[in-house]
Amino acid sequence: MAVTPFRTGMVDRGAHVAAREEPDLLVGDVRAFFRRLREKG
């Protein structure tokens, strides 16, 4: 089973460069991705 770091969905903040404008959203997604990897471990 492959794990992808990509999530689909909309966020209520940010625009074209959301990672720069709302870095906490990106950090949350990255942490959630690695949390899923650890749990599957």
Side-chain angles (χ1 to χ4, degrees):
M1 171 186 276
V3 177
T4 177
F6 303 107
R7 294 185 348 160
T8 58
M10 301 295 288
V11 293
D12 58 348
R13 299 184 314 253
H16 181 71
V17 198
R20 175 183 243 176
E21 297 171 4
E22 297 291 339
D24 292 338
L25 295 176
L26 175 64
V27 169
D29 280 349
V30 171
R31 287 182 174 166
F33 169 72
F34 284 104
R35 188 176 309 118
R36 286 193 321 261
L37 283 180
R38 284 194 311 268
E39 289 170 357
K40 290 180 184 251

